[in-house]
Amino acid sequence: MSKVGIVMGSDSDMSVMKKAADILEKLGIDYEMRIISAHREPDVFFDYAKSAEEKGFKVIIAGAGMAAHLPGMCAAIFPMPVIGIPMHTTSLGGRDSLYSIVQMPSGIPVATVAINGGANAGLLAAKILATSDPQLLDKLKAYSQELKSQVEAKDARLQEVGCKEY
């Protein structure tokens, strides 16, 4: 049974959404990834959002660009957390997507990560799930330690070559 739904409005969003999936895979979290346009396939979208709880989803990660309706529409239908990923756009650099997702009306919250923030969306979904899963929490702690070790190793290499600040 899937725990996280990953949905995007277009296949052009796949490279960003794949980063969320990669984090979930690394942490052993089941997910289902779909491409569904809230505008071009409203019936398919409504079926997806209405059946997400039955499928066992605990969190939905929704990526969208421009008007970015997908995350908000998921949050309006799905009763559990929704994480929105605003996509970079050529016209406004993703600010249009960001504002559309972060400015949801009262009662329809969408957690919002940075523009093209796929990895952070995956981590946030994992942290939400870890509130009721001690094993996942341990995996997240180990992942954080791994990242810290990588940063420390980079710092050491910079010091070796005489770089004092970066």
Side-chain angles (χ1 to χ4, degrees):
M1 191 179 311
S2 296
K3 290 193 173 198
V4 177
I6 299 176
V7 63
M8 66 205 89
S10 169
D11 62 354
S12 63
D13 303 333
M14 184 61 77
S15 63
V16 172
M17 303 308 283
K18 177 80 171 86
K19 292 175 184 174
D22 290 345
I23 293 291
L24 297 176
E25 284 180 20
K26 183 174 182 86
L27 295 170
I29 299 170
D30 292 335
Y31 67 91
E32 174 187 294
M33 188 180 303
R34 299 272 311 268
I35 299 170
I36 304 170
S37 169
H39 295 113
R40 291 182 288 276
E41 304 172 292
D43 293 337
V44 174
F45 166 75
F46 280 112
D47 287 342
Y48 172 83
K50 286 181 179 180
S51 66
E53 185 179 5
E54 289 173 18
K55 290 180 182 178
F57 293 178
K58 303 297 183 203
V59 179
I60 291 178
I61 299 172
M66 299 191 313
H69 286 86
L70 197 58
M73 290 299 296
C74 285
I77 297 168
F78 182 65
M80 290 185 251
V82 174
I83 301 167
I85 303 175
M87 294 296 161
H88 183 273
T89 58
T90 55
S91 57
L92 296 172
R95 290 183 306 278
D96 46 349
S97 313
L98 174 64
Y99 295 153
S100 293
I101 296 171
V102 81
Q103 292 292 343
M104 293 305 301
S106 181
I108 313 292
V110 175
T112 309
V113 296
I115 296 168
N116 283 356
N120 274 350
L123 282 169
L124 182 54
K127 288 181 176 199
I128 290 168
L129 294 173
T131 62
S132 61
D133 185 337
Q135 290 177 323
L136 179 55
L137 181 58
D138 288 341
K139 288 180 183 180
L140 277 167
K141 288 176 180 178
Y143 180 80
S144 293
Q145 185 58 45
E146 179 184 323
L147 291 179
K148 182 180 175 188
S149 296
Q150 289 173 4
V151 168
E152 289 171 352
K154 286 180 185 177
D155 286 346
R157 284 193 298 273
L158 288 171
Q159 288 178 0
E160 286 173 10
V161 295
C163 185
K164 295 184 191 233
E165 291 186 34
Y166 56 94

